Amino acid sequence: MLDRPSVSGGSRGLAIQLLLAVVSGGYAVGAALNWGSEELAEIMGDFGLSSAGLLAAVSCYTYARTIDSRERPAWLLFAFSSLMGACGNAVWGWYEVVLGQDVPKPSVADFAFLCFAPPAIVGLLVLAKRPVTRAGWVCLGLDSWLIGGSLLTLSWSLALAHAARTAQSGAPGSVPRAALSLAYPLLDIALVSMVLVLHFRRSETNRSAVNTAIAALALTVLSDALFTSPLLSAEYQSGQLLDAGWFAGSLLLAYAPWGARRLHPGPVPAAPPRRDRPHSRPITGSLPALTPYLAAAVCTLGILYNVVDGRKVDRMVVFTGCTVVLALVIRQGIMLLDNIALTQELAQKENHFRSLVQGSSDVIMIAAPTGTLRYVSPAAAGVYGREAEELVGTELATLIHPHDLGRVVHEVRRFLAAPPAEEPTTRIECRFKSGTGEWLNVESTVNRHQGGLILNSRDVTERVRLQAQLQHSAEHDPLTDLPNRALFTRRVRQALAGRRAGDHSTAVLFIDLDGFKAVNDTIGHQAGDELLVEAARRLQDSVRAGDTAARLGGDEFAALILGDGGRDRGAREYQVREIADRLRTTLSQPYRIGGNEVRVAASIGVAFADPGITPSDLMRNADLAMYRAKAGGKDRVELYAPQMQAEVVRKAELAGRLRTALHEGEFALLHQPVVSLATGEIAAVAAQARWRSAQGILFTPAEFLRVAEYSEGGAGGPGHGPPDASRTAELGRWLLEQAVEQAADRHRAGHDVPVAVRMTAQRLLDSAVPLSSVEALLTRHGLPSGALVLELAVSDPRVPFDDLERRLAALHRLGVGISLDGFGSGYAAISALRRLPVDMLKLDRGLVEGVAESARLHKITAGLLRIANDLGMRSVADGVDLPEQVMALRAMGCTHGQGKAFSGPLDEYRLRRALVRGTFAVPGGAAQPALAGGSPGGPLALHRGSHDETPVPPT
């Protein structure tokens, strides 16, 4: 679209040029044929020329009014000059056509014609490039006189001397006619001098219009010269062929400003320099310098003409020739002084730039078009370890690394073919051979230089190494140096999108080290880091060449197994499972860390690149399979199946409903009696939360807390990571407040039975839940502090026992009872029993379930109960569902039980009915415990704490 105006403008300009050529040619043909009649010839020769001059005057004047620059006076002067020519031709026609008389000499027409040249001369001076120094102005005047004087000498020798002798004869009317005969050629000589000077000094602005105007004036001067020549002046009549020159000159001057505008309707971009222009530039640049000598030669020819013809040398010729020679000598003197000054300035600049080049830390080299080094700066010794003289004359291609040479040659050829105005420089980076034979990374800025190249080079080896190091650090794990998650993800994407896009046997393995946290907690994080490094080495050694092993973070690793594309699904599953089993076996071998033998297992999930799968989905599938392997017993390999994702979706939907339930009040509080195994009396009630969903499903705490944990698993996978702190905290606050409020109501109704409430260690140690909040809650509802029991399960070894001990001691001073929940399971149970102030132990339901059938569990449970009784603590068995469990536990010395053998969780109405009744039937009848401990009956007197949620059997 941008090219259309210039194309249409060029077409209109060409049409106008053709029209001018046709009109001028038609006029010339008519003049050559004498227009068919003498009257028409006189009309066309007089008024035709007047009309053309008037057209040029109007055109130049109109153009001058449309511009606002220093050219405007020149075009106004051209308009006035053309108007004088039009007036002269009009007066000439008045005499010849209207009056039918010969034009008197001199006449008004002669005055008008004489006024043509001076304005044109001044206008040309306005358009000339103005010198910037006084010497320039002097040279401009001298050049003008050299041209004018030489032309005057030649013209005087040829014709003007005859006119001067006629004026000296004293014949009547000879003086005015001779003056006119001299005035015309003298003015034309001055005009020609200005035209020639302007040709070499013309301004760069609007060059097309200026060149056209110069051509028009030159054509007019040529016609004037022919008119004043002795051969034509005596026989000239209006309407002859000579008039065609004046006519064409006027039309060309009228076209000059507007033709350039049509050809270039917008800003004309500088044409890219041609590649052969440097060869022609010396010739065109030498013409202005040769102008004085050419003028002197013309002057000499004028003098020789008189000598050879045997004439006496005219004094005018001698005088003019002497002034021309004097002007030439003065001009040469000025040029000599100017050249001396320029030479000194050039020498200073050369020394300046030589100092810059030699003192620069960059290596500056000049290469010939053939690639041979012509110049190398001294900095090469420090940068390349090679002397500059040694490199001069060397082929540049022999110094560039062979692997980089093709790329460098291609870039240089492309750069040399590009227009210099659009791309003056380019930058190339390659490896350059040093004096020691080492390959250095070199960055070069390349410029053109006389068909060759200038290279400004610097050593960037350290920068390249640092960039490579930073790139490696950004893509690799700092501990194991394996690819990190970002690089692994990119390689998975490349495997799925590259030439292996159709190869669906590619698989991703996600690997998790089971038991790694225990290593950190037992022998320290330094040992854990050593184990990870050794595991990474084993993984890297076990995968095939071309596969990728990576560490994703923590104790999670991954492997990308590329397929061979030639196996069916069963074969590829067998092959990849074989690789995964080999990895699992290798990673599960004992590790020798700091003199200790450490064992961890590996759970591995495998997912295949099925058609159309994305990298993120493939990695997610492998992650799901890995967590299924951990949930299935650890130390195993699990292949991804679509139902795994369906289960994830189901749990995510359940987690979303759980969020809503927290705010919609869908939770209900139930209580399960804690019964004395000796008397059947209700010693306490355990508060349990239940969630009744909108679909009517009643979830137990174990179920909805697992959902909460899943919803916070994040990128690590389902079940990975801490529970949702905000939801579990909100649920914990609700459970504690509801339990205290309902217990206070029962206390006021006469049922003084303690209420046991679970609270996680994280919740208990949360700074947002100060100790005063529990005291304030008891005070607000009027519940005695001894009526509240907090159940704490300490299964996480990372719990800060010092902080927990201080917290529990403060609660104990308030009178709050503390129960250690889940005793018999978990790593930290014994440590908690040793360090924490606990009053009561609550056996884990996993021990209770098999206590009647398993002799091994029977012995373990009996030993734990013996510890409790020896420490003077009461004991509660959780999950007592069968009569034989009641009898076995009571026989082992357990004081209290909680389970379906007595009652399931009850709502408030059923609970109060049970409290009114007061006792439950004890299987086997009432009996005394086999081991001494606390009093078997009555309310539980509990005083210390607990830490984690324990499972509660679903109802």
Side-chain angles (χ1 to χ4, degrees):
M1 296 298 291
L2 295 175
D3 293 334
R4 290 183 180 177
S6 61
V7 173
S8 60
S11 300
R12 288 196 299 269
L14 181 60
I16 294 175
Q17 291 175 3
L18 291 176
L19 179 61
L20 289 176
V22 169
V23 173
S24 300
Y27 189 94
V29 171
L33 299 177
N34 204 24
W35 297 102
S37 66
E38 185 177 350
E39 293 79 5
L40 182 58
E42 290 180 350
I43 293 174
M44 295 302 297
D46 296 332
F47 292 111
L49 293 180
S50 179
S51 300
L54 184 62
L55 177 62
V58 172
S59 176
C60 293
Y61 177 76
T62 304
Y63 177 70
R65 289 178 59 86
T66 61
I67 62 175
D68 186 15
S69 65
R70 79 178 190 91
E71 298 180 10
R72 183 176 184 181
W75 292 103
L76 290 174
L77 290 170
F78 291 156
F80 181 74
S81 177
S82 299
L83 181 62
M84 290 296 98
C87 292
N89 284 298
V91 172
W92 198 292
W94 173 264
Y95 281 104
E96 284 189 341
V97 178
V98 178
L99 300 180
Q101 302 175 2
D102 292 335
V103 180
K105 293 184 179 180
S107 66
V108 178
D110 294 319
F111 173 78
F113 288 143
L114 290 175
C115 290
F116 172 82
I121 293 172
V122 178
L124 291 174
L125 289 175
V126 172
L127 291 178
K129 185 186 294 183
R130 298 178 181 179
V132 296
T133 62
R134 293 181 179 178
W137 282 105
V138 173
C139 289
L140 177 62
L142 293 174
D143 289 343
S144 301
W145 173 243
L146 286 171
I147 297 173
S150 61
L151 293 178
L152 177 60
T153 302
L154 186 60
S155 300
W156 190 273
S157 300
L158 295 176
L160 298 184
H162 174 72
R165 286 193 296 270
T166 302
Q168 292 175 358
S169 64
S174 61
V175 175
R177 286 194 296 271
L180 288 175
S181 300
L182 292 174
Y184 282 124
L186 291 177
L187 289 175
D188 287 339
I189 288 172
L191 188 56
V192 169
S193 301
M194 289 301 101
V195 168
L196 292 176
V197 171
L198 181 61
H199 174 71
F200 299 117
R201 294 178 177 271
R202 60 185 181 275
S203 175
E204 296 295 327
T205 57
N206 203 6
R207 296 185 60 179
S208 298
V210 174
N211 289 337
T212 306
I214 291 175
L217 295 175
L219 186 58
T220 303
V221 170
L222 178 61
S223 299
D224 287 345
L226 293 175
F227 172 73
T228 57
S229 66
L231 296 176
L232 297 179
S233 60
E235 299 179 0
Y236 171 78
Q237 290 181 359
S238 298
Q240 292 181 350
L241 186 59
L242 184 60
D243 293 345
W246 285 312
F247 184 82
S250 297
L251 290 185
L252 196 59
L253 185 60
Y255 165 77
W258 309 104
R261 277 195 166 185
R262 291 189 179 93
L263 288 173
H264 306 286
V268 181
R274 294 172 52 187
R275 302 180 70 175
D276 57 346
R277 186 165 292 183
H279 301 285
S280 61
R281 189 170 294 171
I283 298 177
T284 58
S286 62
L287 287 178
L290 293 176
T291 300
Y293 304 101
L294 294 176
V298 172
C299 182
T300 304
L301 288 176
I303 298 175
L304 290 177
Y305 176 80
N306 287 273
V307 174
V308 173
D309 199 32
R311 299 176 185 177
K312 182 181 179 180
V313 179
D314 194 280
R315 286 178 294 177
M316 183 66 181
V317 174
V318 174
F319 175 77
T320 305
C322 291
T323 55
V324 169
V325 173
L326 180 60
L328 179 59
V329 171
I330 296 174
R331 188 184 187 282
Q332 289 304 106
I334 295 175
M335 294 300 296
L336 179 60
L337 294 176
D338 193 19
N339 287 338
I340 293 174
L342 289 177
T343 302
Q344 294 176 349
E345 182 180 357
L346 181 61
Q348 292 177 355
K349 290 184 177 179
E350 184 177 354
N351 292 331
H352 174 70
F353 285 112
R354 180 181 292 109
S355 300
L356 289 178
V357 170
Q358 294 181 350
S360 174
S361 60
D362 293 348
V363 180
I364 299 175
M365 301 182 293
I366 299 178
T370 59
T372 304
L373 293 177
R374 291 178 177 173
Y375 172 80
V376 179
S377 66
V383 176
Y384 299 147
R386 305 178 67 173
E387 295 297 331
E389 294 78 6
E390 178 186 348
L391 291 174
V392 173
T394 306
E395 292 289 336
L396 187 59
T398 62
L399 302 174
I400 299 176
H401 196 282
H403 293 168
D404 299 340
L405 183 59
R407 175 174 53 83
V408 172
V409 171
H410 174 74
E411 174 63 19
V412 169
R413 289 176 177 174
R414 184 203 62 78
F415 170 67
L416 293 177
E422 296 180 5
E423 191 173 4
T425 64
T426 188
R427 181 167 294 180
I428 296 176
E429 188 169 328
C430 64
R431 284 167 288 181
F432 201 87
K433 191 173 184 180
S434 68
T436 60
E438 180 185 1
W439 291 103
L440 304 176
N441 293 94
V442 175
E443 181 185 68
S444 301
T445 302
V446 183
N447 295 270
R448 298 173 179 84
H449 175 69
Q450 296 180 358
L453 298 173
I454 296 180
L455 298 95
N456 190 354
S457 306
R458 63 201 60 87
D459 183 9
V460 294
T461 303
E462 290 302 322
R463 188 193 71 186
V464 172
R465 289 176 181 171
L466 180 59
Q467 288 176 344
Q469 181 180 353
L470 293 176
Q471 182 70 19
H472 183 85
S473 300
E475 296 179 340
H476 290 77
D477 176 60
L479 178 63
T480 63
D481 203 39
L482 289 180
N484 59 14
R485 181 181 293 271
L487 180 56
F488 183 77
T489 303
R490 184 163 70 251
R491 291 188 178 177
V492 172
R493 185 179 298 109
Q494 292 171 353
L496 297 183
R499 61 183 179 87
R500 298 178 179 271
D503 185 2
H504 307 311
S505 59
T506 296
V508 169
L509 280 60
F510 266 41
I511 306 164
D512 186 83
L513 300 181
D514 304 319
F516 174 73
K517 290 183 177 60
V519 175
N520 274 340
D521 296 332
T522 54
I523 60 178
H525 289 276
Q526 179 65 32
D529 290 345
E530 294 180 15
L531 188 148
L532 290 176
V533 172
E534 175 62 20
R537 187 191 61 78
R538 293 184 185 183
L539 178 62
Q540 183 68 53
D541 294 341
S542 300
V543 298
R544 306 170 306 174
D547 296 339
T548 300
R551 183 192 178 202
L552 305 184
D555 60 343
E556 289 190 357
F557 295 85
L560 172 63
I561 308 299
L562 300 177
D564 52 17
R567 298 176 179 272
D568 57 17
R569 186 177 184 87
R572 66 176 174 137
E573 287 185 0
Y574 176 81
Q575 180 193 33
V576 173
R577 179 180 282 276
E578 187 179 50
I579 295 174
D581 282 330
R582 186 172 68 250
L583 289 177
R584 181 188 60 80
T585 303
T586 301
L587 294 174
S588 300
Q589 295 295 323
Y591 295 83
R592 195 70 183 175
I593 306 296
N596 299 320
E597 186 178 274
V598 179
R599 290 181 178 271
V600 294
S603 296
I604 302 178
V606 182
F608 290 95
D610 293 326
I613 195 169
T614 63
S616 59
D617 289 343
L618 179 60
M619 295 175 65
R620 180 205 61 197
N621 294 346
D623 199 17
L624 291 175
M626 185 265 289
Y627 279 101
R628 174 58 64 89
K630 292 177 72 67
K634 303 180 180 180
D635 193 17
R636 55 184 294 168
V637 176
E638 191 78 31
L639 268 63
Y640 171 78
Q643 56 267 29
M644 295 181 185
Q645 179 62 23
E647 181 180 353
V648 170
V649 173
R650 183 188 67 81
K651 289 185 177 181
E653 293 176 351
L654 189 61
R657 294 200 299 269
L658 176 60
R659 296 187 190 99
T660 304
L662 287 171
H663 300 285
E664 299 294 333
E666 297 180 4
F667 282 93
L669 186 65
L670 303 181
H671 293 84
Q672 188 173 29
V674 179
V675 180
S676 171
L677 297 183
T679 63
E681 295 180 357
I682 300 176
V685 292
Q688 298 178 5
R690 291 293 188 273
W691 170 35
R692 188 178 301 278
S693 68
Q695 291 76 18
I697 303 175
L698 192 66
F699 292 102
T700 65
E703 290 172 328
F704 62 69
L705 287 180
R706 280 198 300 271
V707 172
E709 290 181 3
Y710 167 77
S711 64
E712 187 64 11
H720 183 70
D724 187 336
S726 61
R727 287 196 297 276
T728 54
E730 186 176 353
L731 181 61
R733 285 194 299 271
W734 177 87
L735 178 63
L736 181 61
E737 290 184 6
Q738 290 294 316
V740 171
E741 181 180 359
Q742 294 184 19
D745 291 341
R746 290 192 297 272
H747 182 75
R748 285 189 289 271
H751 304 294
D752 299 331
V753 180
V755 59
V757 181
R758 287 197 188 98
M759 181 173 286
T760 64
Q762 288 82 357
R763 171 68 178 163
L764 188 63
L765 295 175
D766 190 355
S767 58
V769 186
L771 180 66
S772 58
S773 63
V774 177
E775 185 179 6
L777 181 64
L778 296 173
T779 303
R780 182 169 69 250
H781 293 286
L783 182 67
S785 59
L788 176 63
V789 178
L790 295 181
E791 296 180 351
L792 205 66
V794 186
S795 59
D796 190 347
R798 294 173 296 182
V799 173
F801 279 97
D802 294 338
D803 297 340
L804 185 60
E805 183 178 3
R806 287 192 294 270
R807 182 70 166 159
L808 292 178
L811 289 172
H812 178 266
R813 287 192 293 270
L814 289 177
V816 177
I818 306 298
S819 172
L820 183 60
D821 194 9
F823 187 70
S825 67
Y827 166 79
I830 299 300
S831 298
L833 183 62
R834 178 174 59 87
R835 298 188 57 180
L836 301 180
V838 178
D839 301 292
M840 175 180 171
L841 299 180
K842 193 169 186 179
L843 292 177
D844 183 76
R845 65 184 299 121
L847 296 175
V848 177
E849 287 176 352
V851 70
E853 296 85 5
S854 172
R856 187 180 185 86
L857 283 179
H858 188 280
K859 292 180 180 180
I860 294 174
T861 305
L864 294 175
L865 290 173
R866 186 177 297 107
I867 292 174
N869 283 280
D870 290 345
L871 295 175
M873 298 180 183
R874 285 187 170 83
S875 56
V876 177
D878 187 15
V880 183
D881 299 334
L882 302 174
E884 52 268 28
Q885 293 173 345
V886 175
M887 291 183 290
L889 290 169
R890 185 176 60 182
M892 287 185 284
C894 183
T895 60
H896 296 81
Q898 171 185 340
K900 292 183 179 179
F902 305 106
S903 172
L906 304 174
D907 57 22
E908 188 66 20
Y909 174 74
R910 290 184 175 84
L911 176 62
R912 294 204 179 193
R913 289 182 57 188
L915 291 175
V916 170
R917 188 170 62 249
T919 60
F920 288 95
V922 178
Q928 292 296 323
L931 299 174
S935 64
L940 293 177
L942 307 175
H943 276 91
R944 299 281 162 102
S946 164
H947 178 180
D948 234 357
E949 333 261 359
T950 56
V952 175
T955 58

